[in-house]
Amino acid sequence: MHERLLRQKLNATSFKRGSLDFQSVKSVGLVYNAADPTHSETIRQFVHLLKKQDKEVKVLAYFPDKETHENCPYKHFSNKALDWVMRPTGFEVEQFIETPFDVLINLCLKDCIPLEYISALSKAGFRVGPVSEKLYCYDLMIDASDERMSSFIKQVEFFLNRMNNYEISTI
């Protein structure tokens, strides 16, 4: 049901997708699954690196529980914000989806329905994420079989730094 509703929403909207020379990218959106606290420091360092490159960075963390996470330094949502078919809802999520980032990067190394939903509907010009069967979520998929966040981020940086400016398609 989740995928059917998502596909209906995707079919009802149109996005202009394309890549950019990463040096000219001004805004980056990052989403990640905050269930593994060991990833937090690596992600914080990546955010710091992007900001040093004069990129505006917005982060949205997902906690797969129903607790409150007041110590999280980023905007976040939890399972409380999911509807009955696992679609994330709420102001933070909607605002993030509507933000026209130059690049959106999903830093979740495994399938995560709420983050895939955000990635698929994002107004970002170019979307990067882990290899998935859900081709409609990303414009560039990167192998995450290593399961180390630092390795995945290095691959993201490697490929984005080699991108050229071209139009992918209008969906």
Side-chain angles (χ1 to χ4, degrees), residues 1-2 32 102 104-105 140 157:
M1 187 60 141
H2 169 85
Y32 77 99
D102 293 330
L104 171 79
I105 304 171
L140 173 65
E157 290 177 290

Side-chain angles (χ1 to χ4, degrees), residues 98-155:
E98 293 299 320
T99 303
F101 300 111
D102 293 330
V103 176
L104 171 79
I105 304 171
N106 182 344
L107 294 172
C108 187
L109 303 179
K110 298 181 181 186
D111 288 346
C112 179
I113 292 172
L115 296 182
E116 289 169 347
Y117 181 88
I118 291 168
S119 298
L121 292 175
S122 173
K123 303 282 192 248
F126 193 75
R127 301 160 305 155
V128 179
V131 172
S132 169
E133 293 179 9
K134 298 169 184 149
L135 301 178
Y136 51 83
C137 290
Y138 310 110
D139 305 307
L140 173 65
M141 293 186 193
I142 297 179
D143 181 23
S145 60
D146 181 312
E147 295 189 13
R148 289 185 321 192
M149 182 61 70
S150 59
S151 175
F152 183 73
I153 288 173
K154 283 180 186 171
Q155 287 188 68

Side-chain angles (χ1 to χ4, degrees), residues 45-149:
Q45 290 173 0
F46 185 46
V47 169
H48 181 71
L49 174 72
L50 292 170
K51 287 182 176 182
K52 277 179 55 176
Q53 297 172 3
D54 292 326
K55 298 180 187 333
E56 180 185 340
V57 182
K58 294 201 190 253
V59 181
L60 184 63
Y62 165 61
F63 289 93
D65 59 30
K66 293 191 176 189
E67 305 298 316
T68 57
H69 297 274
E70 295 170 3
N71 294 333
C72 181
Y74 307 115
K75 292 184 179 183
H76 58 278
F77 69 101
S78 68
N79 284 348
K80 286 182 182 179
L82 302 181
D83 68 10
W84 66 280
V85 288
M86 300 290 290
R87 293 179 300 186
T89 61
F91 178 76
E92 300 294 347
V93 171
E94 291 302 320
Q95 186 179 37
F96 196 86
I97 288 172
E98 293 299 320
T99 303
F101 300 111
D102 293 330
V103 176
L104 171 79
I105 304 171
N106 182 344
L107 294 172
C108 187
L109 303 179
K110 298 181 181 186
D111 288 346
C112 179
I113 292 172
L115 296 182
E116 289 169 347
Y117 181 88
I118 291 168
S119 298
L121 292 175
S122 173
K123 303 282 192 248
F126 193 75
R127 301 160 305 155
V128 179
V131 172
S132 169
E133 293 179 9
K134 298 169 184 149
L135 301 178
Y136 51 83
C137 290
Y138 310 110
D139 305 307
L140 173 65
M141 293 186 193
I142 297 179
D143 181 23
S145 60
D146 181 312
E147 295 189 13
R148 289 185 321 192
M149 182 61 70

